Amino acid sequence: MVLKECTKKEEANSYELVVNVDGETFNKAINAVYKKQVKNINIHGFRKGKAPRQMIEKMYGSEVFYEDAMQDCYPEALYDAAKEANVKIVKVESLEAVEANKGGFTFKANIIVEPAMEINNYIGIEVTKKSTEVTDELVDEEIDKVRDRNSRMVTVEDRAAQNDDVAVIDFEGFVDGEAFEGGKAENYNLKLGSGNFIPGFEEQIIGHSADEEFSINVKFPDDYQAEELKGKNAEFKIKLHEIKAKELPEIDDDFVKDVSDKETLAEYKEELKETVAKRLADEAEKDIDDQIANKLMELLEGEIPDAMYDNQADEMVREFEMRLRSQGLDMNTYMQYMGMDANSLKGMYKEEAEKRVKLRLALETVAKKENIEVTSTDLDEEYSKMADAYKMEVEKVKTAVPAESLTEDIKVEKALKLIKDKAVIK
């Protein structure tokens, strides 16, 4: 395969490649297509699937397998041509065969490539480190979280319903005196203050007691999902059966023994101090990373093609779909349930996709400017880490993850470490 011509077009990051695929490669592809398709071809005098290639070409034309063979050649030919032209393809906008014969074929490809970027002043970035002081208030907050996880719901009989209670109710809704579909339920557990019902509904249950029957009046929002109820006034008849409130355990030594392997509250608080200290340190470290990332994105100069953002968003959607599948869920079912389509789902990732692309380009540019190299030892160490993480043999990881792409990832990690090591932390 030979790159015959590489022409930069007027549009930024856009090129036209003219590529020649040699006869040997093309004929191998033609033969592979023949072997794949011959089983479906009937020619008089030959058993089905046994007709020689020469006979099929004589009957249907010498170019009968050309189109499929060219399709099979395009990916590798484009990859080799881009490598020769020293560009990275982001998107293939069009492919057009120019000429083809037994001696090979030539095609034109209009492509979008990764941009050449510039970045300066990335050494000595100033960042502010978050406080990692472990206060008594933070320890108490941790204890409150544990109390909440170990709470239970108990029936309240000596007071009226209040915010954060769970009200067990029957309700039926009416618009213009007529009951409407979906407006009725029995023994429904409603967390007051949750905002799960239309505005005004939960607030009007507060103050009522168990066994009370009463009516409340509300107005459906103008953007309510049911068209026939948008902006309508409604009356709901309510029967309040039961009020349930969260009961938190007392903070004492018995509580500590139930939730930990410590014997006393004092010992438990010391353990929590260590837990909080580690969390604060992790959060502070991540915040420094975020500050550096934001600054690098600000410093990055160059025109980034939208195709890079689209590709990244598509990749994030694929990752999300894989997570859904691992949980036994189907993407189409999820989108129907959430009232989304493919475009709106992809749109959810647009902002994050742009950040990932910009940060990656910034770090790649730094790696190039700093002449960061990756050794065979670096690669072996990374492959070993991946093998341990995925419980796989190292050789299988090497087969799954090409050294070329892993090398680029390691360069980016080294660039980030270099910037972070030289950052000014206040």
Side-chain angles (χ1 to χ4, degrees):
M1 299 171 202
V2 178
L3 174 63
K4 295 180 69 176
E5 191 177 328
C6 176
T7 307
K8 192 175 189 315
K9 301 171 74 177
E10 289 185 9
E11 300 86 350
N13 307 304
S14 183
Y15 287 79
E16 180 181 84
L17 303 182
V18 180
V19 185
N20 182 69
V21 177
D22 62 84
E24 182 182 356
T25 302
F26 189 34
N27 276 286
K28 281 183 181 178
I30 291 172
N31 205 45
V33 171
Y34 155 72
K35 289 179 178 179
K36 193 185 302 181
Q37 296 183 1
V38 66
K39 59 180 176 287
N40 300 315
I41 297 175
N42 279 318
I43 290 185
H44 183 68
F46 296 92
R47 283 185 297 141
K48 185 176 180 181
K50 298 297 182 181
R53 172 180 154 184
Q54 293 82 354
M55 186 62 69
I56 297 171
E57 290 176 337
K58 184 176 181 181
M59 179 166 286
Y60 293 102
S62 60
E63 300 177 356
V64 62
F65 299 119
Y66 279 17
E67 182 62 34
D68 290 333
M70 285 190 287
Q71 292 295 332
D72 289 346
C73 289
Y74 284 143
E76 187 175 353
L78 263 178
Y79 175 82
D80 289 345
K83 196 170 183 180
E84 190 177 334
N86 198 29
V87 295
K88 290 184 180 179
I89 298 176
V90 173
K91 180 181 179 182
V92 179
E93 295 196 299
S94 67
L95 287 170
E96 178 190 357
V98 178
E99 57 180 342
N101 52 54
K102 291 292 175 65
F105 75 96
T106 301
F107 69 93
K108 287 182 181 179
N110 287 301
I111 60 172
I112 302 294
V113 305
E114 281 196 15
M117 307 297 288
E118 183 56 81
I119 191 167
N120 294 294
N121 304 318
Y122 51 84
I123 299 297
I125 290 176
E126 293 186 357
V127 295
T128 303
K129 186 174 183 178
K130 291 173 65 174
S131 172
T132 56
E133 180 187 359
V134 180
T135 64
D136 291 340
E137 288 78 14
L138 288 172
V139 173
D140 289 341
E141 285 177 14
E142 287 298 311
I143 292 176
D144 286 341
K145 291 176 186 176
V146 177
R147 289 182 75 202
D148 189 68
R149 288 198 296 271
N150 289 272
S151 65
R152 62 191 184 106
M153 299 303 293
V154 297
T155 299
V156 175
E157 296 178 340
D158 58 349
R159 64 168 174 80
Q162 59 189 33
N163 215 31
D164 291 329
D165 286 344
V166 171
V168 183
I169 60 173
D170 297 341
F171 63 85
E172 185 172 15
F174 299 85
V175 170
D176 298 329
E178 297 289 332
F180 56 87
E181 186 177 352
K184 183 177 182 179
E186 295 181 352
N187 292 311
Y188 187 91
N189 285 260
L190 175 61
K191 173 76 178 292
L192 302 180
S194 65
N196 289 334
F197 275 37
I198 57 176
F201 190 102
E202 296 168 26
E203 293 85 342
Q204 293 182 63
I205 293 175
I206 292 172
H208 289 282
S209 301
D211 296 326
E212 269 194 65
E213 295 186 29
F214 53 94
S215 294
I216 62 176
N217 294 287
V218 295
K219 183 178 181 181
F220 283 97
D222 292 334
D223 60 352
Y224 193 68
Q225 62 266 29
E227 190 68 34
E228 67 278 9
L229 297 176
K230 287 182 177 180
K232 294 290 183 69
N233 292 311
E235 178 188 22
F236 281 87
K237 293 182 179 179
I238 310 291
K239 168 68 175 178
L240 178 53
H241 292 291
E242 185 183 6
I243 301 167
K244 294 188 284 189
K246 185 183 292 184
E247 184 177 76
L248 298 171
E250 292 294 323
I251 306 175
D252 53 24
D253 290 349
D254 289 334
F255 165 74
V256 169
K257 291 173 186 176
D258 286 340
V259 300
S260 74
D261 58 0
K262 301 302 179 184
E263 293 292 322
T264 67
L265 181 58
E267 291 174 339
Y268 185 50
K269 284 189 174 182
E270 286 303 312
E271 181 181 66
L272 287 181
K273 283 181 182 179
E274 294 178 10
T275 302
V276 173
K278 183 179 183 310
R279 191 194 76 220
L280 292 177
D282 290 344
E283 289 175 353
E285 202 67 21
K286 184 181 181 305
D287 186 65
I288 287 173
D289 289 344
D290 289 343
Q291 290 182 60
I292 289 173
N294 289 333
K295 186 62 178 178
L296 288 173
M297 288 186 281
E298 288 177 15
L299 294 172
L300 187 64
E301 299 175 15
E303 190 170 346
I304 303 172
D306 289 338
M308 291 191 73
Y309 300 140
D310 287 340
N311 290 349
Q312 181 63 57
D314 286 337
E315 177 61 27
M316 294 169 75
V317 169
R318 284 192 291 271
E319 290 172 359
F320 178 66
E321 184 172 12
M322 288 176 63
R323 290 197 298 272
L324 284 179
R325 286 180 180 173
S326 69
Q327 298 167 20
L329 299 174
D330 173 75
M331 176 69 92
N332 289 330
T333 303
Y334 172 83
M335 288 194 294
Q336 287 175 1
Y337 180 77
M338 298 300 293
M340 305 175 74
D341 58 19
N343 287 332
S344 56
L345 179 66
K346 184 176 176 179
M348 284 174 49
Y349 294 102
K350 182 180 178 182
E351 185 176 346
E352 180 61 26
E354 290 187 4
K355 288 181 180 179
R356 289 191 187 185
V357 169
K358 288 177 181 177
L359 181 58
R360 177 80 183 202
L361 285 172
L363 292 171
E364 286 177 348
T365 307
V366 170
K368 194 175 296 182
K369 292 190 73 166
E370 296 289 334
N371 296 313
I372 291 175
E373 298 293 336
V374 174
T375 65
S376 58
T377 302
D378 292 330
L379 279 170
D380 288 341
E381 287 178 356
E382 194 61 31
Y383 275 127
S384 294
K385 288 179 188 175
M386 295 173 74
D388 290 341
Y390 292 105
K391 310 297 182 189
M392 293 172 63
E393 295 176 9
V394 172
E395 292 307 313
K396 289 184 178 179
V397 176
K398 287 183 177 181
T399 302
V401 183
E404 186 176 355
S405 63
L406 185 58
T407 297
E408 293 304 310
D409 291 342
I410 296 173
K411 282 183 180 180
V412 162
E413 290 175 7
K414 285 189 171 188
L416 180 58
K417 185 178 186 308
L418 180 150
I419 295 165
K420 191 172 180 179
D421 287 345
K422 295 188 178 183
V424 178
I425 301 175
K426 299 177 181 179

